[in-house]
Amino acid sequence: MNIQPISYNDLTMGKAPKKPNFNSFVDRIKQKIVDTAPSTTFNDAEKTLKNWVRFDERMSKPAENRGVMGGTAILLQPAIDASNKKVDNETRQISICRTIAKIIAGTGVGMLVRGSAYKAVEKMTNPEGNKILLPKKYIDELSKNPKLMKNYRSALSTGIAILAMCVTNFALDAPLTVFLTNRLIEAAHLKKPKEAVDEKRA
């Protein structure tokens, strides 16, 4: 594979401007990268392909996707809070507790809502049964294409879940975050922010 250089010829003007050397240098670097890249492919064994398809099906579902986001957050965000040297140690510890509680509450409720929405959509998009959420115009096309049907269900359930979470964020996430934060602060033998303020005033 060869990278074609950018052409600076302007036929409408009748004269081609000087070609900058910078672009030529960049083209040579790009070509070197392409030349050194290995020309191999993934193992296309049947078992490997099935595993990749299964992994794709799981990760593309809204609940599993939210779980991956929560897992990534629990690994990174508390560490970021712990490295904040602009606050005292106790404030830093309370911040870590609050972050962990927020991630657990958000991930748990998010997976529950999204998973429930997906299952509900799945039951109501059955071409041979309940098809209330299937557009009449595309029923035949969706029923003949399992991949397209899966993408449709994922997109529709994600939209429904987002609407539902406009309520659950206040009804479930917020109180659960406060509850878990207090439990973690107690477990770490830290003073709650309100208690610390009262002591300073006294």
Side-chain angles (χ1 to χ4, degrees):
M1 178 176 150
N2 292 321
I3 295 174
Q4 298 300 322
I6 299 171
S7 174
Y8 282 83
N9 293 327
D10 190 345
L11 298 178
T12 61
M13 299 297 293
K15 187 179 180 182
K18 289 185 178 181
K19 182 178 178 181
N21 292 331
F22 176 75
N23 285 326
S24 177
F25 175 71
V26 171
D27 287 339
R28 286 200 299 272
I29 291 177
K30 289 179 181 177
Q31 188 61 56
K32 285 288 184 183
I33 294 172
V34 171
D35 291 340
T36 56
S39 58
T40 58
T41 59
F42 289 108
N43 184 3
D44 58 354
E46 185 178 353
K47 186 177 180 182
T48 303
L49 291 175
K50 284 182 178 179
N51 289 335
W52 277 110
V53 170
R54 193 178 299 114
F55 178 79
D56 172 65
E57 288 176 350
R58 288 181 179 176
M59 290 301 100
S60 62
K61 289 182 179 179
E64 284 80 351
N65 192 272
R66 182 66 182 87
V68 171
M69 291 171 60
T72 305
I74 201 73
L75 291 174
L76 298 177
Q77 291 185 13
I80 293 171
D81 286 345
S83 63
N84 182 12
K85 303 300 182 183
K86 294 181 180 179
V87 296
D88 59 81
N89 183 59
E90 190 168 3
T91 303
R92 191 160 52 245
Q93 295 298 321
I94 291 172
S95 179
I96 293 170
C97 292
R98 187 180 292 112
T99 297
I100 293 173
K102 191 182 295 183
I103 293 170
I104 293 173
T107 302
V109 174
M111 290 184 70
L112 178 65
V113 173
R114 292 173 190 231
S116 301
Y118 188 86
K119 287 182 179 179
V121 167
E122 198 172 28
K123 289 181 180 179
M124 290 186 280
T125 53
N126 183 2
E128 298 176 358
N130 188 339
K131 45 192 174 185
I132 191 172
L133 293 180
L134 283 175
K136 292 181 181 179
K137 187 177 179 180
Y138 301 106
I139 287 179
D140 291 338
E141 186 178 352
L142 288 167
S143 60
K144 292 175 184 177
N145 191 331
K147 185 76 173 177
L148 185 62
M149 176 68 84
K150 183 176 71 69
N151 291 339
Y152 173 76
R153 286 170 173 167
S154 294
L156 183 58
S157 61
T158 298
I160 293 172
I162 289 172
L163 292 175
M165 285 187 289
C166 291
V167 177
T168 60
N169 279 347
F170 300 99
L172 296 176
D173 283 46
L176 185 56
T177 298
V178 172
F179 173 79
L180 291 174
T181 299
N182 290 336
R183 298 289 81 79
L184 289 171
I185 287 174
E186 289 174 4
H189 305 292
L190 299 169
K191 295 173 184 175
K192 295 178 185 178
K194 187 177 179 181
E195 294 175 359
V197 170
D198 291 340
E199 281 192 5
K200 286 182 180 178
R201 288 177 179 174

PDB file of all heavy atoms in Angstrom, residues 77-97:
ATOM      1  N   GLN A  77     -11.061   6.520  38.933  1.00  0.00           N
ATOM      2  CA  GLN A  77     -11.462   7.745  39.631  1.00  0.00           C
ATOM      3  C   GLN A  77     -11.023   7.816  41.098  1.00  0.00           C
ATOM      4  O   GLN A  77     -10.563   8.875  41.542  1.00  0.00           O
ATOM      5  CB  GLN A  77     -12.974   7.932  39.497  1.00  0.00           C
ATOM      6  CG  GLN A  77     -13.381   8.274  38.074  1.00  0.00           C
ATOM      7  CD  GLN A  77     -14.863   8.581  37.935  1.00  0.00           C
ATOM      8  OE1 GLN A  77     -15.572   8.769  38.911  1.00  0.00           O
ATOM      9  NE2 GLN A  77     -15.333   8.595  36.701  1.00  0.00           N
ATOM     10  N   PRO A  78     -11.150   6.738  41.883  1.00  0.00           N
ATOM     11  CA  PRO A  78     -10.649   6.837  43.268  1.00  0.00           C
ATOM     12  C   PRO A  78      -9.151   7.125  43.331  1.00  0.00           C
ATOM     13  O   PRO A  78      -8.690   7.856  44.218  1.00  0.00           O
ATOM     14  CB  PRO A  78     -10.968   5.447  43.845  1.00  0.00           C
ATOM     15  CG  PRO A  78     -12.121   4.955  43.046  1.00  0.00           C
ATOM     16  CD  PRO A  78     -11.870   5.468  41.664  1.00  0.00           C
ATOM     17  N   ALA A  79      -8.406   6.573  42.373  1.00  0.00           N
ATOM     18  CA  ALA A  79      -6.965   6.832  42.334  1.00  0.00           C
ATOM     19  C   ALA A  79      -6.686   8.299  42.028  1.00  0.00           C
ATOM     20  O   ALA A  79      -5.740   8.894  42.564  1.00  0.00           O
ATOM     21  CB  ALA A  79      -6.309   5.931  41.284  1.00  0.00           C
ATOM     22  N   ILE A  80      -7.514   8.895  41.173  1.00  0.00           N
ATOM     23  CA  ILE A  80      -7.359  10.316  40.855  1.00  0.00           C
ATOM     24  C   ILE A  80      -7.644  11.162  42.093  1.00  0.00           C
ATOM     25  O   ILE A  80      -6.918  12.119  42.397  1.00  0.00           O
ATOM     26  CB  ILE A  80      -8.301  10.714  39.699  1.00  0.00           C
ATOM     27  CG1 ILE A  80      -7.861  10.013  38.413  1.00  0.00           C
ATOM     28  CG2 ILE A  80      -8.321  12.227  39.504  1.00  0.00           C
ATOM     29  CD1 ILE A  80      -8.836  10.162  37.256  1.00  0.00           C
ATOM     30  N   ASP A  81      -8.708  10.810  42.827  1.00  0.00           N
ATOM     31  CA  ASP A  81      -9.023  11.532  44.071  1.00  0.00           C
ATOM     32  C   ASP A  81      -7.899  11.384  45.098  1.00  0.00           C
ATOM     33  O   ASP A  81      -7.573  12.327  45.820  1.00  0.00           O
ATOM     34  CB  ASP A  81     -10.334  11.006  44.672  1.00  0.00           C
ATOM     35  CG  ASP A  81     -11.548  11.480  43.893  1.00  0.00           C
ATOM     36  OD1 ASP A  81     -11.402  12.419  43.100  1.00  0.00           O
ATOM     37  OD2 ASP A  81     -12.634  10.913  44.080  1.00  0.00           O
ATOM     38  N   ALA A  82      -7.336  10.190  45.158  1.00  0.00           N
ATOM     39  CA  ALA A  82      -6.270   9.929  46.137  1.00  0.00           C
ATOM     40  C   ALA A  82      -5.011  10.737  45.840  1.00  0.00           C
ATOM     41  O   ALA A  82      -4.219  11.025  46.748  1.00  0.00           O
ATOM     42  CB  ALA A  82      -5.948   8.433  46.160  1.00  0.00           C
ATOM     43  N   SER A  83      -4.817  11.111  44.588  1.00  0.00           N
ATOM     44  CA  SER A  83      -3.608  11.857  44.211  1.00  0.00           C
ATOM     45  C   SER A  83      -3.798  13.375  44.291  1.00  0.00           C
ATOM     46  O   SER A  83      -2.882  14.122  43.961  1.00  0.00           O
ATOM     47  CB  SER A  83      -3.185  11.477  42.787  1.00  0.00           C
ATOM     48  OG  SER A  83      -4.183  11.835  41.860  1.00  0.00           O
ATOM     49  N   ASN A  84      -4.967  13.809  44.751  1.00  0.00           N
ATOM     50  CA  ASN A  84      -5.229  15.245  44.874  1.00  0.00           C
ATOM     51  C   ASN A  84      -4.562  15.786  46.147  1.00  0.00           C
ATOM     52  O   ASN A  84      -5.047  15.580  47.256  1.00  0.00           O
ATOM     53  CB  ASN A  84      -6.744  15.484  44.918  1.00  0.00           C
ATOM     54  CG  ASN A  84      -7.084  16.965  45.001  1.00  0.00           C
ATOM     55  OD1 ASN A  84      -6.223  17.823  44.809  1.00  0.00           O
ATOM     56  ND2 ASN A  84      -8.337  17.259  45.285  1.00  0.00           N
ATOM     57  N   LYS A  85      -3.469  16.476  45.982  1.00  0.00           N
ATOM     58  CA  LYS A  85      -2.700  16.986  47.121  1.00  0.00           C
ATOM     59  C   LYS A  85      -3.114  18.402  47.519  1.00  0.00           C
ATOM     60  O   LYS A  85      -2.520  19.003  48.423  1.00  0.00           O
ATOM     61  CB  LYS A  85      -1.198  16.968  46.786  1.00  0.00           C
ATOM     62  CG  LYS A  85      -0.672  15.603  46.393  1.00  0.00           C
ATOM     63  CD  LYS A  85      -0.860  14.568  47.491  1.00  0.00           C
ATOM     64  CE  LYS A  85      -0.279  13.219  47.072  1.00  0.00           C
ATOM     65  NZ  LYS A  85      -0.525  12.178  48.104  1.00  0.00           N
ATOM     66  N   LYS A  86      -4.144  18.936  46.863  1.00  0.00           N
ATOM     67  CA  LYS A  86      -4.584  20.296  47.166  1.00  0.00           C
ATOM     68  C   LYS A  86      -5.485  20.363  48.393  1.00  0.00           C
ATOM     69  O   LYS A  86      -5.837  21.446  48.848  1.00  0.00           O
ATOM     70  CB  LYS A  86      -5.315  20.889  45.960  1.00  0.00           C
ATOM     71  CG  LYS A  86      -4.412  21.086  44.742  1.00  0.00           C
ATOM     72  CD  LYS A  86      -5.178  21.702  43.594  1.00  0.00           C
ATOM     73  CE  LYS A  86      -4.272  21.896  42.379  1.00  0.00           C
ATOM     74  NZ  LYS A  86      -5.000  22.477  41.228  1.00  0.00           N
ATOM     75  N   VAL A  87      -5.914  19.193  48.890  1.00  0.00           N
ATOM     76  CA  VAL A  87      -6.776  19.141  50.077  1.00  0.00           C
ATOM     77  C   VAL A  87      -6.101  18.309  51.155  1.00  0.00           C
ATOM     78  O   VAL A  87      -5.158  17.565  50.887  1.00  0.00           O
ATOM     79  CB  VAL A  87      -8.157  18.550  49.728  1.00  0.00           C
ATOM     80  CG1 VAL A  87      -8.902  19.437  48.742  1.00  0.00           C
ATOM     81  CG2 VAL A  87      -8.024  17.148  49.158  1.00  0.00           C
ATOM     82  N   ASP A  88      -6.599  18.430  52.399  1.00  0.00           N
ATOM     83  CA  ASP A  88      -6.008  17.649  53.491  1.00  0.00           C
ATOM     84  C   ASP A  88      -6.394  16.186  53.357  1.00  0.00           C
ATOM     85  O   ASP A  88      -7.286  15.814  52.594  1.00  0.00           O
ATOM     86  CB  ASP A  88      -6.460  18.200  54.851  1.00  0.00           C
ATOM     87  CG  ASP A  88      -7.961  18.176  54.996  1.00  0.00           C
ATOM     88  OD1 ASP A  88      -8.505  17.115  55.321  1.00  0.00           O
ATOM     89  OD2 ASP A  88      -8.601  19.236  54.754  1.00  0.00           O
ATOM     90  N   ASN A  89      -5.745  15.345  54.144  1.00  0.00           N
ATOM     91  CA  ASN A  89      -5.901  13.900  54.032  1.00  0.00           C
ATOM     92  C   ASN A  89      -7.331  13.445  54.299  1.00  0.00           C
ATOM     93  O   ASN A  89      -7.876  12.593  53.591  1.00  0.00           O
ATOM     94  CB  ASN A  89      -4.952  13.197  55.010  1.00  0.00           C
ATOM     95  CG  ASN A  89      -5.022  11.685  54.871  1.00  0.00           C
ATOM     96  OD1 ASN A  89      -4.761  11.136  53.799  1.00  0.00           O
ATOM     97  ND2 ASN A  89      -5.403  11.007  55.947  1.00  0.00           N
ATOM     98  N   GLU A  90      -7.980  14.029  55.326  1.00  0.00           N
ATOM     99  CA  GLU A  90      -9.341  13.607  55.667  1.00  0.00           C
ATOM    100  C   GLU A  90     -10.328  13.958  54.556  1.00  0.00           C
ATOM    101  O   GLU A  90     -11.187  13.143  54.199  1.00  0.00           O
ATOM    102  CB  GLU A  90      -9.787  14.261  56.980  1.00  0.00           C
ATOM    103  CG  GLU A  90     -11.079  13.669  57.510  1.00  0.00           C
ATOM    104  CD  GLU A  90     -11.353  14.113  58.937  1.00  0.00           C
ATOM    105  OE1 GLU A  90     -10.571  14.920  59.478  1.00  0.00           O
ATOM    106  OE2 GLU A  90     -12.335  13.640  59.511  1.00  0.00           O
ATOM    107  N   THR A  91     -10.199  15.151  53.999  1.00  0.00           N
ATOM    108  CA  THR A  91     -11.065  15.549  52.879  1.00  0.00           C
ATOM    109  C   THR A  91     -10.843  14.634  51.685  1.00  0.00           C
ATOM    110  O   THR A  91     -11.790  14.254  50.991  1.00  0.00           O
ATOM    111  CB  THR A  91     -10.779  17.002  52.473  1.00  0.00           C
ATOM    112  OG1 THR A  91     -10.970  17.859  53.598  1.00  0.00           O
ATOM    113  CG2 THR A  91     -11.695  17.445  51.345  1.00  0.00           C
ATOM    114  N   ARG A  92      -9.579  14.275  51.487  1.00  0.00           N
ATOM    115  CA  ARG A  92      -9.253  13.388  50.371  1.00  0.00           C
ATOM    116  C   ARG A  92      -9.896  12.021  50.565  1.00  0.00           C
ATOM    117  O   ARG A  92     -10.466  11.448  49.635  1.00  0.00           O
ATOM    118  CB  ARG A  92      -7.731  13.256  50.264  1.00  0.00           C
ATOM    119  CG  ARG A  92      -7.268  12.573  49.000  1.00  0.00           C
ATOM    120  CD  ARG A  92      -5.810  12.874  48.686  1.00  0.00           C
ATOM    121  NE  ARG A  92      -4.931  12.613  49.811  1.00  0.00           N
ATOM    122  CZ  ARG A  92      -4.243  13.565  50.441  1.00  0.00           C
ATOM    123  NH1 ARG A  92      -4.363  14.829  50.074  1.00  0.00           N
ATOM    124  NH2 ARG A  92      -3.448  13.269  51.440  1.00  0.00           N
ATOM    125  N   GLN A  93      -9.857  11.505  51.783  1.00  0.00           N
ATOM    126  CA  GLN A  93     -10.457  10.194  52.069  1.00  0.00           C
ATOM    127  C   GLN A  93     -11.972  10.220  51.907  1.00  0.00           C
ATOM    128  O   GLN A  93     -12.573   9.284  51.372  1.00  0.00           O
ATOM    129  CB  GLN A  93     -10.090   9.758  53.503  1.00  0.00           C
ATOM    130  CG  GLN A  93      -8.615   9.514  53.745  1.00  0.00           C
ATOM    131  CD  GLN A  93      -8.072   8.387  52.891  1.00  0.00           C
ATOM    132  OE1 GLN A  93      -8.732   7.375  52.687  1.00  0.00           O
ATOM    133  NE2 GLN A  93      -6.862   8.557  52.393  1.00  0.00           N
ATOM    134  N   ILE A  94     -12.602  11.295  52.358  1.00  0.00           N
ATOM    135  CA  ILE A  94     -14.059  11.438  52.213  1.00  0.00           C
ATOM    136  C   ILE A  94     -14.421  11.518  50.730  1.00  0.00           C
ATOM    137  O   ILE A  94     -15.426  10.935  50.293  1.00  0.00           O
ATOM    138  CB  ILE A  94     -14.570  12.670  52.978  1.00  0.00           C
ATOM    139  CG1 ILE A  94     -14.439  12.445  54.482  1.00  0.00           C
ATOM    140  CG2 ILE A  94     -16.017  12.982  52.612  1.00  0.00           C
ATOM    141  CD1 ILE A  94     -14.746  13.663  55.325  1.00  0.00           C
ATOM    142  N   SER A  95     -13.614  12.225  49.960  1.00  0.00           N
ATOM    143  CA  SER A  95     -13.858  12.345  48.524  1.00  0.00           C
ATOM    144  C   SER A  95     -13.773  10.986  47.837  1.00  0.00           C
ATOM    145  O   SER A  95     -14.577  10.674  46.945  1.00  0.00           O
ATOM    146  CB  SER A  95     -12.846  13.306  47.905  1.00  0.00           C
ATOM    147  OG  SER A  95     -13.034  13.420  46.520  1.00  0.00           O
ATOM    148  N   ILE A  96     -12.818  10.170  48.268  1.00  0.00           N
ATOM    149  CA  ILE A  96     -12.684   8.813  47.712  1.00  0.00           C
ATOM    150  C   ILE A  96     -13.925   7.986  48.032  1.00  0.00           C
ATOM    151  O   ILE A  96     -14.467   7.288  47.170  1.00  0.00           O
ATOM    152  CB  ILE A  96     -11.412   8.131  48.257  1.00  0.00           C
ATOM    153  CG1 ILE A  96     -10.161   8.834  47.733  1.00  0.00           C
ATOM    154  CG2 ILE A  96     -11.391   6.654  47.883  1.00  0.00           C
ATOM    155  CD1 ILE A  96      -8.877   8.388  48.388  1.00  0.00           C
ATOM    156  N   CYS A  97     -14.388   8.078  49.284  1.00  0.00           N
ATOM    157  CA  CYS A  97     -15.591   7.336  49.694  1.00  0.00           C
ATOM    158  C   CYS A  97     -16.801   7.762  48.867  1.00  0.00           C
ATOM    159  O   CYS A  97     -17.592   6.923  48.420  1.00  0.00           O
ATOM    160  CB  CYS A  97     -15.872   7.563  51.180  1.00  0.00           C
ATOM    161  SG  CYS A  97     -14.665   6.827  52.291  1.00  0.00           S
TER     162      CYS A  97
END
